Amino acid sequence: MTAIKDIPFRYDQVGSFLRPEKLKKAREQFANHEISAETLKQIEDQAIIELIDKQTQLGLKAITDGEFRRSWWHLDFLWGLNGIKQTTPNDGYQFNKVKTRAASYEFIDTVSFNPNHPFFEAFTFLKEHTPKGIFSKASIPSPTLLFNRKSSSTFIPENYQDETSFINDLVQTYQQTIQKFYDLGCRYLQLDDTSWGMYTGFIENAKTETEIEQWHYQCNAGVTVINQLLANLPKDLTITMHVCRGNYKSDWAIAGPYDHVADYLAELNIDGYFLEYDDERSGGFEPLAQIHKNDPAKKIVLGLVTSKFPQLESQDSLVKRITEATNYAPLENLCLSPQCGFASTEEGNYLTEDEQWAKVQLVIDTAKKVWHDA
């Protein structure tokens, strides 16, 4: 049996943190042409250094730059790929109660690797300022976002004649991108993926068997592209996946149990999952059994602490839920984290920085109580 990797850690985090007010102000000033790009970068640099120090003080074993240089968790990355450009549609995406600001992308050519992608410089800065013995964690959106549309058919850009050639380009682009992160010193990379949350929600609410079958076709396409891009990557690189259900101004976008996609998640050749379990939208822990059965080496990070609201969960309730999860996967395969980032977009969720760090501290303290190797 393949040995379970140390990563993800018993207490871990998804990646994004609330932007400090001075950084929010600087971004606004830059947008209004009141400060230069260089001045904005200096303010970003200092904010990230302070964030690194805070994460280090708390004892996190893998730290991020909080996504402080991004506006969106996904779009900033996609805009940096060759063949894709930034667009501003007429409307934003409708979440449960709120609507996002309007931003999107379109294909202007075939997709390919950009060796000058700004995320590489951003990671280099993080790596240079991360203390020895601590992992610098990179996060990028999953390639499935590029062939998902709100329909049950795989999206194929007009630059391509068929689905296979499109997926092949996505695979090559992501393999080269991830290899570049590795060459820069990355050993822990996370794919953020809203697709599986979408699929489980759409399958849950499908009106016909034909519609369900078409969504399952999308799931199979997702398994294909992800497993192909993971092939032949360095063995000492850990790849995890955060299955997200939407995170914008403390609102969510998707509801539905993991049952509908558990078989597909189990097929993915990744090292660990970050699964959101902060409320009833995610259903029960039963799907963990299928994931574990298919690959006993996979770790599952339970997102039991919500990043959306300031109220602090009780440690006893968290321990109880972890114990419940062990009915479906062994304790040694489980970890703990917030359910999502605290600011998937620069607006952030509705809590303070102090409340954010109290959530992180709760995750750490609870993990140390539950796992002897935390």
Side-chain angles (χ1 to χ4, degrees):
M1 184 178 73
T2 304
I4 300 175
K5 289 187 176 182
D6 291 333
I7 306 173
F9 296 103
R10 295 299 182 199
Y11 50 89
D12 216 315
Q13 46 122 332
V14 173
S16 66
F17 288 102
L18 296 171
R19 278 52 159 182
E21 285 304 316
K22 61 184 177 182
L23 179 54
K24 287 186 175 182
K25 181 179 179 181
R27 292 184 69 91
E28 182 179 346
Q29 289 174 320
F30 176 72
N32 294 331
H33 308 288
E34 296 171 3
I35 62 173
S36 66
E38 181 58 34
T39 298
L40 174 61
K41 184 179 182 303
Q42 291 173 357
I43 295 171
E44 288 174 344
D45 288 351
Q46 185 57 42
I48 290 169
I49 290 172
E50 292 172 5
L51 179 68
I52 291 171
D53 290 343
K54 179 65 176 181
Q55 293 173 86
T56 302
Q57 291 166 12
L58 286 174
L60 289 171
K61 300 178 181 180
I63 64 176
T64 73
D65 63 3
E67 302 180 6
F68 280 6
R69 302 190 199 274
R70 308 185 203 183
S71 179
W72 300 84
W73 65 275
H74 58 323
L75 292 176
D76 294 74
F77 175 81
L78 301 180
W79 292 332
L81 298 177
N82 291 334
I84 296 176
K85 79 168 185 177
Q86 180 177 351
T87 63
T88 304
N90 294 328
D91 219 348
Y93 184 83
Q94 182 62 52
F95 271 49
N96 181 46
K97 294 180 179 179
V98 305
K99 186 175 289 187
T100 69
R101 56 188 156 90
S104 189
Y105 64 89
E106 69 178 33
F107 294 89
I108 56 175
D109 202 345
T110 55
V111 183
S112 65
F113 169 65
N114 177 9
N116 298 312
H117 197 297
F119 274 37
F120 298 139
E121 181 180 355
F123 180 80
T124 298
F125 183 89
L126 172 66
K127 188 75 169 62
E128 289 176 348
H129 290 84
T130 298
K132 290 183 178 179
I134 300 176
F135 284 83
S136 302
K137 180 179 179 180
S139 63
I140 59 175
S142 171
T144 58
L145 273 67
L146 287 171
F147 62 68
N148 284 333
R149 291 293 186 272
K150 196 172 182 180
S151 71
S152 50
S153 299
T154 303
F155 170 76
I156 304 172
E158 60 182 16
N159 312 88
Y160 291 91
Q161 294 183 342
D162 56 62
E163 178 183 298
T164 300
S165 59
F166 179 40
I167 287 181
N168 286 343
D169 274 2
L170 287 184
V171 168
Q172 184 175 18
T173 299
Y174 266 77
Q175 281 184 331
Q176 291 176 299
T177 298
I178 294 173
Q179 183 63 52
K180 177 67 173 180
F181 274 113
Y182 181 87
D183 294 342
L184 292 172
C186 179
R187 297 296 181 269
Y188 183 3
L189 185 138
Q190 175 180 295
L191 296 173
D192 292 318
D193 201 329
T194 54
S195 303
W196 305 103
M198 288 170 51
Y199 299 152
T200 196
F202 291 152
I203 293 171
E204 177 82 356
N205 296 300
K207 300 295 190 296
T208 66
E209 286 299 319
T210 298
E211 191 178 351
I212 291 174
E213 289 175 4
Q214 290 173 331
W215 282 119
H216 281 297
Y217 178 85
Q218 273 274 48
C219 291
N220 278 310
V223 171
T224 296
V225 69
I226 291 171
N227 279 349
Q228 285 186 15
L229 78 87
L230 293 175
N232 302 317
L233 289 174
K235 299 300 182 184
D236 60 338
L237 172 64
T238 297
I239 305 283
T240 61
M241 174 181 288
H242 172 231
V243 179
C244 184
R245 294 166 175 267
N247 190 37
Y248 185 82
K249 292 184 176 180
S250 293
D251 199 11
W252 54 267
I254 305 155
Y258 291 104
D259 304 61
H260 300 299
V261 297
D263 288 347
Y264 301 106
L265 293 176
E267 291 179 30
L268 298 176
N269 297 325
I270 61 172
D271 299 304
Y273 298 94
F274 285 75
L275 299 182
E276 300 192 354
Y277 270 112
D278 61 324
D279 60 25
E280 67 281 354
R281 287 181 300 121
S282 301
F285 292 127
E286 289 82 358
L288 305 186
Q290 179 59 29
I291 295 173
H292 176 70
K293 178 182 177 182
N294 195 67
D295 186 352
K298 279 190 173 73
K299 276 187 174 180
I300 302 170
V301 186
L302 302 176
L304 300 176
V305 176
T306 189
S307 66
K308 295 184 184 299
F309 306 108
Q311 293 77 15
L312 205 60
E313 294 82 352
S314 76
Q315 189 175 86
D316 287 346
S317 68
L318 296 178
V319 172
K320 182 178 180 180
R321 294 202 70 196
I322 294 169
T323 301
E324 181 186 349
T326 61
N327 291 318
Y328 307 99
L331 185 63
E332 66 177 357
N333 288 79
L334 301 178
C335 306
L336 182 65
S337 77
Q339 132 272 344
C340 193
F342 292 92
S344 298
T345 69
E346 60 183 309
E347 288 86 352
N349 288 335
Y350 293 136
L351 66 168
T352 67
E353 288 185 67
D354 285 345
E355 290 165 341
Q356 165 187 263
W357 294 120
K359 295 272 185 176
V360 175
Q361 188 66 62
L362 175 63
V363 168
I364 295 172
D365 292 344
T366 304
K368 288 182 176 180
K369 181 175 182 178
V370 171
W371 289 279
H372 68 84
D373 59 346

